[in-house]
Each structure stands twice: as structure tokens, then as C-alpha cells.
Amino acid sequence: MSEQQKQTLEGSTKTTKNANNSRYMHSIFQECDQLKKEYDNCFNAFFQKFISPEYRHSSGLNNPCEQVHFVYRDCVEKNLKLHKPFDIDIDEVRKQVLTDLQNEKENARHMSVIASDFSVQSQEPLNQKVQTLVSGLQVLDQLKNQFVDVRVPIRLLDILDEGNNPQLFTKEALEDTRKRNKELNGKTEIYKKFQYNLIRELKLEMSADVDEYLRVRKLINGGGGGGNVSQTDDGGSSRNTAKENE
């Protein structure tokens, strides 16, 4: 491995901390690092707005970071071709994979034709096609190691099989995230209201015990999670035992 390749691999695993103390992974190529930062910042800002209840979702896919991502991806692909840090010629690999897939597809078609009109004379050609198919699958199996880090969601393959735009998968993923976030926020609010109401009702029956519980919880949480619960879920003051008895 050349010195340039070693430096590239070392750079691909380098991480730093941003001003907000969050970890940031640099681009695999230093020339593309600023573009990666711009895309990350753009997407993070967009995603926070996207999952917000106030965000107005349009019927079409509206990704304001699409052009920034295209520029960053173009930078990475150009440097991959130029420096070849992983000793892989991307164009050659793509060409080989596509060629092998086309050959497998054609062999499978020939086998279906032979099998549909099978005769004694067809046995030998069919055996040859089967052997060719197996050999081709073995070649593809060897090529898979060059794509071991690639993760393709099954849903994305379904969308492609249906002849739809793969961007629909991104839209569905973001919509699903927004929906789950909304559901989680709703559950959180319900549990908070339940906590207020439960402590309020318990305080009416066991005022001293509830006060002791809140005091202990405040000590355990370092003063951040305790305190008297004096408000109900609708913002009104809870009734104390003396007023209730009156």
C-alpha cells in the first residue's frame, strides 16, 4: 500500500469534536472535507425542521441539500478514481458486475427456453448452461467482498422493482421518522400528565408519605427531578388535604 493510500485510510477514520461537543467524522479525502461539513450542516438543519410538528410537508420531495450532496459525492468519486485508496478501479468493478449480471440473465433465459421444450437432445446443452450459471454465480460471490460495507435496505429494492424513483425511499424514511417522533412526543406528554395526576391523587390520601417520597426522589436525582408537584395537567393548582376536608 502506498503512502498516499495509508494517509487516506488514516484520514477516513479521523474524528474531532465540533463547537457543540458533538463528534464529527472527516471526509475520506481532505479536499472534500469542507463539502462534507456543508452537507452535514445542511442536512442536520433540514432534518430538525422536518421532524418538527410545525413543518409543512409538500406533496413532492423537497430536499434542500440535494445539490450540496451531489457536489460532495462528485468530489469523493473523482478522488476515488484519482488516488484509488482501496486498490479498486470503481469503473472496472461496475463494468464487470454489470457484464456478469447480464450474462447470468441471458443464461437463465436460455435455460428457460430449453426447459420449456425439453427433449433428450436438450440434456447436454442444459447441463452446459447450468454449469455456466453456477460459474457465473461463483464469480459474483467473489466480487461481493469488494462491496462488503454496502448496506441496501430491502424496501429500496422493492421500490426499484416497481419502477419508481429511489428517492421515494428517502421520503418514506423521513416521513416514518417524523411520524414516530410525533408518536413518541405524544406518549411522553401522556406519561407526564399521568405522573401529575397520580401524585396529586396520592397526596390527597397520603400527604405526608407523598412529601417524603418527593423529598427522597429529589435527593436521589440531585435536586433535578423532585420537588412538590403543585400543578395539574391543565395548569391548575392541586388541592391540599385541608381544603379537601373543608
Side-chain angles (χ1 to χ4, degrees):
M1 181 179 292
S2 66
E3 188 65 27
Q4 173 67 28
Q5 292 172 340
K6 290 181 180 179
Q7 292 177 358
T8 302
L9 289 174
E10 291 174 357
S12 65
T13 58
K14 182 180 179 182
T15 59
T16 58
K17 287 190 175 181
N18 292 328
N20 58 1
N21 206 33
S22 61
R23 297 185 66 84
Y24 167 75
M25 179 172 287
H26 293 265
S27 173
I28 187 174
F29 298 108
Q30 185 177 0
E31 301 90 330
C32 308
D33 195 57
Q34 184 59 36
L35 294 174
K36 184 178 186 298
K37 288 181 180 179
E38 293 176 3
Y39 172 70
D40 288 346
N41 292 335
C42 177
F43 182 80
N44 289 336
F46 163 69
F47 187 71
Q48 290 301 321
K49 294 179 181 178
F50 187 88
I51 63 177
S52 172
E54 291 78 21
Y55 185 79
R56 294 294 179 266
H57 299 273
S58 58
S59 57
L61 182 63
N62 183 21
N63 182 3
C65 307
E66 184 175 5
Q67 185 60 32
V68 182
H69 176 259
F70 177 80
V71 175
Y72 168 59
R73 185 183 64 183
D74 185 61
C75 176
V76 172
E77 290 185 350
K78 286 181 179 179
N79 279 276
L80 282 173
K81 294 178 181 179
L82 179 63
H83 301 297
K84 298 181 180 179
F86 305 110
D87 295 323
I88 296 176
D89 188 331
I90 295 180
D91 290 335
E92 187 63 30
V93 171
R94 287 175 178 170
K95 182 179 179 181
Q96 182 179 355
V97 171
L98 290 175
T99 301
D100 290 340
L101 288 174
Q102 288 290 345
N103 291 337
E104 293 302 291
K105 181 179 178 181
E106 189 65 16
N107 279 329
R109 188 182 70 83
H110 289 170
M111 289 173 59
S112 65
V113 172
I114 295 174
S116 63
D117 190 20
F118 187 78
S119 63
V120 177
Q121 292 78 12
S122 304
Q123 186 64 56
E124 185 62 28
L126 181 61
N127 291 341
Q128 293 177 356
K129 291 296 180 181
V130 171
Q131 292 177 358
T132 303
L133 182 66
V134 172
S135 299
L137 291 175
Q138 290 175 343
V139 172
L140 289 174
D141 187 66
Q142 294 173 358
L143 289 174
K144 73 178 182 181
N145 294 328
Q146 301 183 29
F147 302 92
V148 67
D149 294 331
V150 178
R151 299 289 186 269
V152 180
I154 299 299
R155 175 56 185 155
L156 177 58
L157 298 180
D158 293 337
I159 291 177
L160 293 175
D161 289 340
E162 294 167 0
N164 295 324
N165 191 328
Q167 289 280 20
L168 290 176
F169 174 78
T170 303
K171 179 182 178 182
E172 289 181 1
L174 292 176
E175 289 284 359
D176 184 63
T177 301
R178 182 184 67 86
K179 180 180 178 182
R180 290 176 181 271
N181 182 72
K182 186 176 181 180
E183 292 176 352
L184 182 60
N185 288 339
K187 291 180 180 179
T188 301
E189 290 300 319
I190 291 176
Y191 280 123
K192 286 182 179 179
K193 291 180 180 180
F194 174 74
Q195 179 191 32
Y196 282 130
N197 289 323
L198 178 62
I199 294 180
R200 182 190 63 183
E201 295 299 325
L202 287 174
K203 192 173 178 64
L204 296 177
E205 302 295 333
M206 301 176 292
S207 179
D209 292 334
V210 172
D211 288 340
E212 178 64 15
Y213 159 73
L214 293 175
R215 185 188 68 80
V216 173
R217 192 178 71 174
K218 184 176 181 180
L219 292 175
I220 294 176
N221 294 335
N228 291 328
V229 180
S230 59
Q231 288 187 331
T232 63
D233 55 317
D234 59 356
S237 299
S238 61
R239 298 169 296 175
N240 57 36
T241 306
K243 288 185 178 181
E244 182 67 19
N245 291 334
E246 291 177 0

